[in-house]
Amino acid sequence: VIFQIWFLLLGGMGIAYGLDVWAGHEFPTVLALSIFGSWISYIYSAPPLKLKQNGWAGNYALGASYISLPWWCGQAVFGELDRPVFFILPILYSIAGLGIAIVNDFKSIEGDRELGLQSLPVAFGVDKAKWICAGSVTLTQLGVAAYLATIGEDTYAAILLALILPQMYFQATLLLPDPIENDVKYQASSQPFLVFGILATALALGHHEFV
């Protein structure tokens, strides 16, 4: 296991540095992001911080790892991280990632409680946690769609709204009625629309001519 950890860690950093060289970066941005992501993965599980003990911190760390870090790396390799919006939108989308991460906590409530992990279903109960989950996913995306509309990217805003609607449908029919029984079915049904929404947002930023 130790060998696998070091192999993946050093191999990943080597690839990251190779991408920096290929992109002609004066500062190794992708390598720095990789080191930061590796540090997040360590403090997620390891004491003294052990982020997964807290539902808010742990799930946001997961959401940021799934969304913000890959987005920033892609932007650094194929563009430039030269505007605040390239940081802000992925950070906002990571709130939606927090909501997605909550879904994975519903079936482990008893185990989390015994281990002293304050997942959101443990801290707030299933009924409140499922609404936190649905709200964080939906409201974040609505906010992003509103931002796209304000910068004149109405087509992409409309596409994002169209992708939010089926997510809300699956929340109403699968997540909210029984998040424990329907967790896998909800993820499989709803998450592709979230991912395509992230893609639509990234394309909107690439299409937009910032002044």
Side-chain angles (χ1 to χ4, degrees):
V1 174
I2 299 298
F3 172 79
Q4 290 177 331
I5 292 173
W6 281 106
F7 178 80
L8 293 172
L9 177 65
L10 297 178
M13 289 183 181
I15 293 171
Y17 183 71
L19 288 171
D20 281 317
V21 173
W22 177 80
H25 293 161
E26 293 183 5
F27 176 81
T29 307
V30 181
L31 176 60
L33 288 168
S34 299
I35 293 172
F36 177 69
S38 300
W39 179 70
I40 292 295
S41 70
Y42 176 77
I43 65 173
Y44 176 77
S45 298
L49 296 179
K50 203 171 185 179
L51 298 181
K52 69 179 182 181
Q53 288 182 320
N54 180 281
W56 294 110
N59 286 341
Y60 188 80
L62 285 178
S65 298
Y66 294 152
I67 298 173
S68 292
L69 289 172
W71 193 328
W72 291 334
C73 286
Q75 181 66 33
V77 171
F78 298 106
E80 293 183 11
L81 286 168
D82 57 351
R83 293 184 180 276
V85 67
F86 296 143
F87 292 92
I88 295 171
L89 282 189
I91 289 172
L92 287 177
Y93 253 116
S94 296
I95 299 174
L98 177 150
I100 294 299
I102 295 172
V103 180
N104 298 323
D105 293 332
F106 285 113
K107 278 194 173 177
S108 59
I109 293 176
E110 294 304 321
D112 288 344
R113 186 178 288 118
E114 290 178 6
L115 293 172
L117 303 179
Q118 286 295 304
S119 68
L120 296 187
V122 170
F124 293 97
V126 172
D127 287 339
K128 289 183 179 179
K130 69 184 183 183
W131 283 104
I132 294 172
C133 172
S136 62
V137 172
T138 302
L139 294 177
T140 297
Q141 294 179 91
L142 289 174
V144 173
Y147 168 76
L148 294 180
T150 62
I151 63 172
E153 297 294 341
D154 296 333
T155 300
Y156 286 102
I159 292 172
L160 182 54
L161 286 174
L163 291 168
I164 293 171
L165 291 176
Q167 296 177 65
M168 295 176 68
Y169 170 78
F170 291 123
Q171 289 170 357
T173 57
L174 295 173
L175 177 68
L176 297 178
D178 193 341
I180 297 176
E181 181 66 26
N182 297 328
D183 59 341
V184 175
K185 188 181 294 185
Y186 168 72
Q187 294 276 50
S189 301
S190 180
Q191 196 157 336
F193 295 99
L194 173 68
V195 173
F196 280 118
I198 295 172
L199 176 60
T201 302
L203 290 173
L205 294 181
H207 174 265
H208 188 73
E209 294 185 4
F210 290 94
V211 178

